[in-house]
Amino acid sequence: MTTAVIRRLGVGLLTLWVVSVLVFLIIHNLPGDPISVLLRQYATPETRAALEALWGLDKPLTEQYLAWLGNLLTGDFGVSISSNLPVGQILAERLPRTLLLMTGGLLLALLVAIPGGMLAASRRGSAVDHGLTTGSLVLQAQPEFWIGSLLVLTFGVTLAWFPTSGYVDLADDPVGWLRHSVMPMLTIAVVTTGLLLRTVRASMLTELQQDHILLARSNGVRPWRVIGWHAGRNAVAPTLTVVGLQVGILMSGAVITERVFGYPGMGLTLVNALISRDYPVVQSGILVFAALFIVTNTVVDVVSMWLDPRTRATLQGAR
Amino acid sequence: MTETDVTLRVADLRVDLASGAQPVEGVSFDVRQGEMLGIVGESGSGKSMTLRAMSGLLPHGVRATVTGSVTVAGTELATASGRPPRHPRVGDRAAFGYVFQEPLAALNPGFTIRRHLLEALRAHGRLGDRSDRHDRLVAALADVRLPEPERVLRSHPHELSGGMRQRVVIALALIGRPHVLLADEPTTALDVTVAAEVLDLVQTLQREHSLTSVLVSHDLSLVAQRCDRVLVMYGGEIVESGAAADLMTSPQHPYTQRLLEATVDPFDPELRRTPDPEVESRAPLMTAGGVTVTYPARRRRQDPVVAVDGVDVAVRAGEVVAVVGESGSGKSSMAKALAGMQPVDDGDVRLGGRTVTTDRRDRTWLTGEVQMVFQDPYSALNPRMPVGTAIQRSLAIHQPALDAASRREEARRLLDDVGLPRSFEDRYPVELSGGQRQRVVVARALAAQPRVLLADEPTSALDVSVQAQLLALLRDLVDRRDLGMLLITHDFAAVRAIADRVVVMSRGRIVEAAPIDDLITTPTDPYTRRLLDAVPSARRTHTTQEST
């Protein structure tokens, strides 16, 4: 490990701690509480007091926070108020589903964005370029719930190719899992492709203006090799940075997408937990999302540094 | 000249851009086998575009129609209708090999030198057998006289020096065994001694590989010294062509005459500067004593870098002191230390009885005394601020007593002083040429009523004819306003044009300090002599030719 990476991880931990405080304060200061959601009109002062004592909600906020944080550090995420299941178990079950969904969506998006962006950049100003950039702008402007609903209507209802909602576990029935996951993945892909394509195009344009592209051309390197390899290799790093930042957008996208498709991943879990003011689930869920975001971006930064030989030395320097 | 002698023939080459501009308007010339042809012109003259267009290398995204014919070794490359083919070949050899201006930019930062060479070999279908491939790569680098070819192969471009990078670029150009080597300002980005080495190498290779070459440059002395024949381009056309010697002694076209007039030859005996005894008797205005600047080590277990090592410089009111050195000599760190922008580790800089520090509280005093003229007038001005406003801003800081109306009037007077019309006050930098912008930078500096001007390569971003005018302006201002001026530069022509005394720096130390005339005629330090020998000068070449 190098000092550069360690420093980044240190900043990441600090960020996580700030997130934990913010999440805790916000959720506890929202109007409403888990007990009124749970008991509704049957809440009496006695049962309320009993439940508050049970879940420790009667203690001062700082004490509650410290208790939660202390348990977190020992790996104990607490127990869900609404389902009475350990939060760790919920995360272990739901989070992988969302991650698969996000990864699938991202891969689909990259599959279109990378060649599309390269094509647009290499034919700058042509009809192809205009078509691709305008198309990405249009896609970028579509909200997930709208794309999701359109897909449900077309492929779920009219054509009846895919189930409109629900879930089968990957381990039980891989084909069924894929049938249930295709449309949510497509939804995520559609809304992320636009930005990625434009990013790839922009980084490629910068690279193609460089003198070393002229040198490659003057040495007779074939045009597609110049674009795909000489320029493409150097355009990876800036694109990667945007992909890292996109992870955040992907997460919020997953929340909405899972709701549209009734897909029981982390996003749907978080929405339901928020509605029922299930404090332990919301706090831990958001913290895990934040941690994922920070880790992804640290990895992206390190990989970008490694990709550039000029910064690679700083990574290797203090090994 | 018989037909078979001609290796490259360009006939009526035209470039029409989609925007309607015509950077090349019907250029025709021949280059004989083994000849080195020079093309001289200022920016926008179409000299680079000519090279690009004939070799099918127009910049990415530029939409242009190229017409005319290009014939290499008897084979016509372009038909009258379209662009020349991408990477034209004649027989089993490439028609052209290309050497670029800035070798760092011309090499892919993500590729090792080995990969660069492999890519070029692959493109020419000469990857060949795996067994002797490594030996052939080493041979290609040895061909351009690169020391330690094994280490160079493993290196990335940023790990090599400028001269080494340019040698790699030349090696790459030679891999296609080109008929014609096209070199577009191949030494402009290099230090003067390195530049001379690279050009020597090109000429040696030209003999060894029986190459024909075209050298494009803005530097008339350099081209005249190296080339057999020279074309002068202006506004997309060839305005004059002839033997290099004739061009230097009896230029015919008015533009060539103007260009020649603006070209300062440091060895021209007529440029002698008579020292003013009154100025020489003055006490120094600004003195640097034993200034040492170190930068912390970039990595652990490395020693800190000593950029400036115990340097003494003094400047009097009314004189120009030049600090000359190559890149890495410490001259820019010295400039920063003098301007209070770089902490000094040892020694001190004194100005008007006070010590210059980097302390923010001294900033107003210091900028009132020392003003900078920057290298790049394009980035030294705020593009969103009319130039009059830029000058008024400086006035508002340094002459707070002035009200808005008198600030405006003073800004106009300053425009007069730097030779710009008053109507320019409402113009934005983008509407000005490079030389005009640099004049605005000077006017803005004068607004602070400084006693010392610190000019860091003030002319290196400008065309030759504009350089001469700007230097004349700076000298005039020094004389009229009794300013002290420190000129930080690598350019001996600029030094010769305006400096009274010269300090030569190398590796952070002063190797020689002398009045300009003494330094030019009788340099004592071996490094200074090497530096002066590398300066392209038609005059010196001619004298040596006459004497031999």
Side-chain angles (χ1 to χ4, degrees):
Chain A
M1 277 300 222
T2 72
T3 35
V5 179
I6 291 170
R7 199 175 304 130
R8 260 155 225 267
L9 285 177
V11 173
L13 276 179
L14 191 72
T15 318
L16 263 189
W17 174 74
V18 174
V19 169
S20 78
V21 174
L22 283 178
V23 168
F24 190 87
L25 285 179
I26 290 171
I27 181 96
H28 280 270
N29 282 302
L30 279 184
D33 62 280
I35 297 163
S36 9
V37 174
L38 209 60
L39 299 180
R40 301 194 200 163
Q41 67 269 40
Y42 309 111
T44 62
E46 292 77 35
T47 51
R48 175 175 286 275
L51 284 175
E52 276 185 349
L54 179 66
W55 291 327
L57 298 176
D58 52 347
K59 300 197 182 96
L61 268 189
T62 31
E63 205 172 307
Q64 288 188 47
Y65 172 75
L66 288 176
W68 174 58
L69 194 67
N71 287 337
L72 260 188
L73 293 178
T74 63
D76 177 7
F77 290 91
V79 175
S80 160
I81 291 180
S82 47
S83 68
N84 217 21
L85 286 169
V87 176
Q89 190 186 324
I90 297 177
L91 289 175
E93 183 190 74
R94 302 285 171 97
L95 194 62
R97 297 175 183 169
T98 301
L99 289 183
L100 273 180
L101 214 56
M102 282 167 49
T103 316
L106 187 62
L107 286 181
L108 279 179
L110 286 173
L111 220 57
V112 178
I114 291 176
M118 286 188 164
L119 185 70
S122 65
R123 302 250 188 284
R124 180 185 197 176
S126 69
V128 178
D129 181 22
H130 286 304
L132 281 168
T133 41
T134 316
S136 357
L137 201 63
V138 170
L139 287 190
Q140 234 179 308
Q142 309 302 315
E144 286 95 343
F145 62 84
W146 157 249
I147 292 288
S149 312
L150 267 186
L151 288 176
V152 167
L153 200 64
T154 322
F155 298 105
V157 179
T158 315
L159 295 169
W161 289 356
F162 300 111
T164 54
S165 69
Y167 182 74
V168 212
D169 212 71
L170 176 64
D172 298 341
D173 175 8
V175 178
W177 171 82
L178 197 64
R179 282 169 50 79
H180 279 97
S181 306
V182 163
M183 288 202 296
M185 281 182 186
L186 263 181
T187 310
I188 291 175
V190 164
V191 295
T192 37
T193 303
L195 180 62
L196 289 180
L197 192 147
R198 295 170 75 87
T199 310
V200 172
R201 178 181 176 273
S203 344
M204 283 297 292
L205 279 182
T206 317
E207 273 308 311
L208 287 173
Q209 300 294 335
Q210 304 295 316
D211 277 1
H212 65 78
I213 297 302
L214 271 180
L215 179 121
R217 284 170 57 200
S218 80
N219 284 330
V221 180
R222 304 200 166 285
W224 277 108
R225 198 175 168 84
V226 170
I227 292 164
W229 177 227
H230 290 246
R233 193 198 173 286
N234 298 335
V236 167
T239 310
L240 210 59
T241 308
V242 175
V243 169
L245 296 171
Q246 274 287 89
V247 167
I249 301 169
L250 281 175
M251 286 170 180
S252 66
V255 171
I256 297 166
T257 309
E258 287 178 9
R259 186 119 166 88
V260 172
F261 291 94
Y263 199 93
M266 203 54 222
L268 191 62
T269 309
L270 262 183
V271 173
N272 290 337
L274 200 62
I275 292 169
S276 57
R277 300 287 183 272
D278 193 342
Y279 294 157
V281 174
V282 175
Q283 288 163 12
S284 302
I286 290 182
L287 204 62
V288 167
F289 268 3
L292 267 178
F293 184 74
I294 289 164
V295 167
T296 321
N297 278 286
T298 309
V299 170
V300 161
D301 285 351
V302 172
V303 171
S304 302
M305 279 173 80
W306 184 82
L307 275 177
D308 188 340
R310 288 164 293 188
T311 45
R312 193 182 301 164
T314 45
L315 275 181
Q316 293 167 339
R319 184 151 44 188
Chain B
M1 186 191 310
T2 63
E3 281 301 306
T4 46
D5 274 349
V6 176
T7 297
L8 170 65
R9 165 162 290 165
V10 175
D12 200 28
L13 187 75
R14 287 170 193 277
V15 180
D16 291 276
L17 295 183
S19 62
Q22 274 196 317
V24 181
E25 301 181 34
V27 165
S28 307
F29 58 88
D30 286 348
V31 192
R32 285 189 304 266
Q33 165 62 36
E35 188 185 26
M36 187 185 243
L37 176 80
I39 303 184
V40 185
E42 303 196 325
S43 52
S45 62
K47 57 189 194 306
S48 291
M49 202 53 121
T50 302
L51 285 203
R52 295 281 184 89
M54 65 194 223
S55 56
L57 265 191
L58 289 176
H60 181 78
V62 169
R63 290 208 236 166
T65 320
V66 178
T67 55
S69 97
V70 178
T71 313
V72 172
T75 306
E76 177 153 357
L77 305 179
T79 51
S81 58
R83 305 165 86 124
R86 175 191 67 87
H87 196 67
R89 306 179 66 85
V90 174
D92 61 342
R93 296 169 66 184
F96 302 110
Y98 214 107
V99 181
F100 297 86
Q101 173 171 359
E102 169 52 274
L104 183 59
L107 294 171
N108 191 322
F111 286 178
T112 57
I113 303 308
R114 165 189 291 279
R115 170 134 323 274
H116 276 100
L117 289 164
L118 286 176
E119 286 288 308
L121 280 175
R122 181 198 308 278
H124 293 287
R126 295 181 53 206
L127 266 182
D129 213 33
R130 200 172 265 279
S131 57
D132 68 333
R133 196 178 288 165
H134 181 77
D135 295 336
R136 282 185 290 136
L137 297 186
V138 170
L141 293 183
D143 196 25
V144 292
R145 284 33 170 204
L146 267 167
E148 298 181 76
E150 300 277 351
R151 184 180 72 81
V152 173
L153 278 179
R154 285 194 306 273
S155 306
H156 283 94
H158 74 278
E159 294 164 315
L160 303 177
S161 71
M164 290 168 91
R165 288 181 204 130
Q166 196 62 297
R167 281 162 201 262
V168 170
V169 172
I170 295 171
L172 288 169
L174 292 181
I175 277 189
R177 290 175 296 166
H179 288 279
V180 184
L181 192 68
L182 305 175
D184 190 354
E185 305 266 10
T187 56
T188 310
L190 303 176
D191 277 327
V192 57
T193 52
V194 181
E197 284 167 24
V198 166
L199 287 172
D200 288 346
L201 174 70
V202 169
Q203 288 185 316
T204 311
L205 291 170
Q206 182 161 8
R207 278 195 303 277
E208 290 177 357
H209 295 253
S210 62
L211 281 169
T212 303
S213 62
V214 179
L215 173 68
V216 161
S217 177
H218 66 281
D219 187 343
L220 193 56
S221 335
L222 179 138
V223 167
Q225 190 182 13
R226 298 283 174 171
C227 297
D228 313 305
R229 273 190 315 129
V230 179
L231 307 180
V232 182
M233 281 192 74
Y234 181 74
E237 292 175 30
I238 296 173
V239 295
E240 184 162 1
S241 68
D246 297 344
L247 211 70
M248 292 301 280
T249 47
S250 53
Q252 300 300 310
H253 193 273
Y255 174 73
T256 318
Q257 290 164 359
R258 258 191 293 140
L259 201 61
L260 195 64
E261 223 164 83
T263 307
V264 177
D265 189 327
F267 300 96
D268 188 346
E270 285 171 23
L271 283 170
R272 287 193 67 87
R273 181 168 287 287
T274 34
D276 181 346
E278 196 273 316
V279 169
E280 292 210 317
S281 65
R282 291 178 189 169
L285 195 59
M286 188 179 202
T287 51
V291 168
T292 301
V293 175
T294 55
Y295 296 111
R298 209 166 301 162
R299 292 189 213 169
R300 272 184 278 171
R301 291 192 293 275
Q302 265 185 353
D303 292 327
V305 181
V306 183
V308 181
D309 191 0
V311 166
D312 304 301
V313 178
V315 59
R316 304 188 189 93
E319 75 171 353
V320 177
V321 176
V323 179
V324 184
E326 300 190 281
S327 53
S329 63
K331 61 185 194 301
S332 291
S333 300
M334 187 66 203
K336 280 193 206 162
L338 291 169
M341 295 196 288
Q342 170 70 43
V344 170
D345 295 286
D346 200 14
D348 60 358
V349 179
R350 297 190 62 81
L351 170 67
R354 278 174 77 167
T355 303
V356 171
T357 67
T358 52
D359 194 325
R360 210 165 40 84
R361 283 163 296 184
D362 286 350
R363 192 68 25 217
T364 321
W365 162 74
L366 187 59
T367 53
E369 299 278 0
V370 182
Q371 278 285 312
M372 305 256 325
V373 178
F374 301 93
Q375 173 170 4
D376 181 6
Y378 295 86
S379 58
L381 290 170
N382 184 341
R384 310 203 172 194
M385 200 186 275
V387 299
T389 314
I391 299 170
Q392 288 177 40
R393 283 275 174 100
S394 184
L395 286 170
I397 296 168
H398 293 287
Q399 300 184 44
L402 295 179
D403 60 24
S406 33
R407 266 207 303 275
R408 205 181 154 85
E409 187 48 39
E410 182 60 29
R412 286 178 179 162
R413 260 200 296 274
L414 284 166
L415 284 175
D416 294 343
D417 273 359
V418 296
L420 289 177
R422 290 187 167 204
S423 61
F424 271 34
E425 63 175 350
D426 294 323
R427 295 212 187 172
Y428 287 89
V430 69
E431 299 171 83
L432 271 52
S433 71
Q436 290 168 341
R437 282 180 221 206
Q438 197 62 302
R439 283 168 190 267
V440 173
V441 172
V442 173
R444 185 179 60 182
L446 293 178
Q449 298 183 309
R451 288 198 284 172
V452 177
L453 269 187
L454 204 58
D456 191 356
E457 304 275 7
T459 54
S460 54
L462 304 176
D463 273 329
V464 180
S465 56
V466 183
Q467 285 185 5
Q469 293 162 8
L470 191 89
L471 287 169
L473 169 74
L474 287 173
R475 181 72 230 188
D476 181 49
L477 288 170
V478 165
D479 293 338
R480 262 194 298 148
R481 298 187 168 223
D482 263 341
L483 296 171
M485 182 164 134
L486 277 152
L487 173 70
I488 319 285
T489 186
H490 69 280
D491 180 7
F492 264 105
V495 172
R496 172 83 270 195
I498 62 168
D500 298 295
R501 290 188 297 124
V502 188
V503 171
V504 181
M505 278 185 79
S506 170
R507 292 161 196 261
R509 291 168 190 269
I510 292 181
V511 295
E512 185 162 0
I516 176 71
D517 289 334
D518 299 354
L519 192 95
I520 295 279
T521 52
T522 50
T524 55
D525 184 79
Y527 176 76
T528 314
R529 249 177 275 150
R530 215 147 37 85
L531 210 55
L532 284 169
D533 278 343
V535 174
S537 159
R539 203 169 298 269
R540 191 188 46 204
T541 318
H542 290 165
T543 48
T544 46
Q545 273 168 358
E546 279 157 19
S547 61
T548 46

